[in-house]
Amino acid sequence: MKKLIAGNWKMNGSMENARALIANIINQLETDEDVLKKCDILVCPPFLHIPAVRHAIYGFPDLRFGAQDCSAYDNGAHTGDVSASMLRDSSCSYVIVGHSERRQYQQESNEMVAQKAAQVLKNDMTPIICVGETEDEREQGKAQEVVAAQLAGSIPDLESFQEIVVAYEPVWAIGTGKTASVDDVAEMHGFIREQLKELVPDADKVRILYGGSMKPENAGALLSTENVDGGLIGGASLSAEQFLAIARAAV
Ligand code: PGA
């Protein structure tokens, strides 16, 4: 399976920064096209920077872009929200849903995440559905139980195969510099694969990303772990050098 290296820019930077970052990524890819052939590369800027990124990567169809969230609804009276059809209209191909920061700060439930993922699929894009336990839950030995419940509740019903991506992001590893050990990642990703077999058709085709302080230094070990089909990268995706060093580690 081709690995997916996805950058989650979160709520960072100005329009000028976004333009500079994507230009830097493109410059580096122009001298190293092999990376783009061997793995899928995706950037998820803030909503307002999507048109600038779209403009910059015109002519680079293999470099994908997407959004960090979308509404659970089609359209209408949802002040401040952005619908999946608007994102499709802006040529997005992936949308992150259920990131732990949204589950935590916007109180997003599994049910809402499943509705958002269904909106993404309905609009011919691929949802990246995030799951992951907190430090307390891991210490109490509940990591698998929590992740199983999030998967069961956040993945919409699929009657036939549709591309979805699952991102396992232990909450305690996000932005903290702490990374889950390769053994823990291998165990959880294997567990997620087994759970997916109960939940979706063709579970073996679902890419399972690891996210949480992935850096060039640990990417090689994490990305060569069984059932790790890519990475969801926050902090390190704000540097073209680091982001592409992670992509190179994937190939
Ligand atoms: P991080 O973020 O790489 O900064 O830990 C990952 C994420 O939240 O997607």
Side-chain angles (χ1 to χ4, degrees), residues 7 14 23-24 45 54-55 91 95-97 109 114 134 141 147 156 188 201 205 210 224 230-231 239:
S14 60
N24 212 343
R54 176 193 190 182
H55 181 76
S91 305
V95 183
I96 299 170
V97 293
S109 62
T134 62
V147 167
M188 185 59 92
K205 290 194 202 153
Y210 170 79
S224 53
S239 146

Side-chain angles (χ1 to χ4, degrees), residues 6-10 96 99-101 130 167 169-171 173-178 210-215 231-238 246:
N8 174 10
W9 293 2
K10 305 197 181 182
I96 299 170
H99 190 281
S100 63
E101 286 151 14
C130 302
E169 299 203 303
V171 177
I174 296 178
T176 57
K178 292 188 211 167
Y210 170 79
S213 298
M214 192 182 274
K215 305 259 179 295
L232 182 55
I233 298 120
S237 75
L238 297 173
I246 294 173

Side-chain angles (χ1 to χ4, degrees), residues 55-163:
H55 181 76
I57 70 178
Y58 193 75
F60 255 88
D62 290 340
L63 179 55
R64 292 129 204 256
F65 62 93
Q68 300 169 17
D69 180 42
C70 70
S71 171
Y73 306 100
D74 284 324
N75 52 46
H78 299 284
T79 303
D81 283 354
V82 173
S83 70
S85 64
M86 291 169 183
L87 296 172
R88 184 64 219 163
D89 232 14
S90 302
S91 305
C92 288
S93 47
Y94 288 79
V95 183
I96 299 170
V97 293
H99 190 281
S100 63
E101 286 151 14
R102 298 203 60 86
R103 290 178 184 267
Q104 187 181 351
Y105 306 128
Q106 266 74 30
Q107 286 78 44
E108 288 191 4
S109 62
N110 288 328
E111 194 186 2
M112 181 176 280
V113 176
Q115 272 177 278
K116 291 184 174 200
Q119 283 289 339
V120 175
L121 288 167
K122 190 169 120 184
N123 287 281
D124 300 322
M125 298 177 289
T126 303
I128 301 180
I129 302 168
C130 302
V131 297
E133 80 286 357
T134 62
E135 191 153 32
D136 267 5
E137 289 162 345
R138 175 156 285 267
E139 274 165 14
Q140 288 167 32
K142 291 188 182 157
Q144 291 194 349
E145 189 187 316
V146 167
V147 167
Q150 287 177 335
L151 289 169
S154 310
I155 297 180
D157 290 336
L158 305 179
E159 270 154 31
S160 56
F161 178 77
Q162 282 184 285
E163 192 190 351

Side-chain angles (χ1 to χ4, degrees), residues 6-28:
N8 174 10
W9 293 2
K10 305 197 181 182
M11 193 177 71
N12 286 300
S14 60
M15 186 77 87
E16 203 182 325
N17 293 144
R19 286 203 183 102
L21 179 52
I22 194 66
N24 212 343
I25 291 174
I26 291 170
N27 279 343
Q28 298 207 21

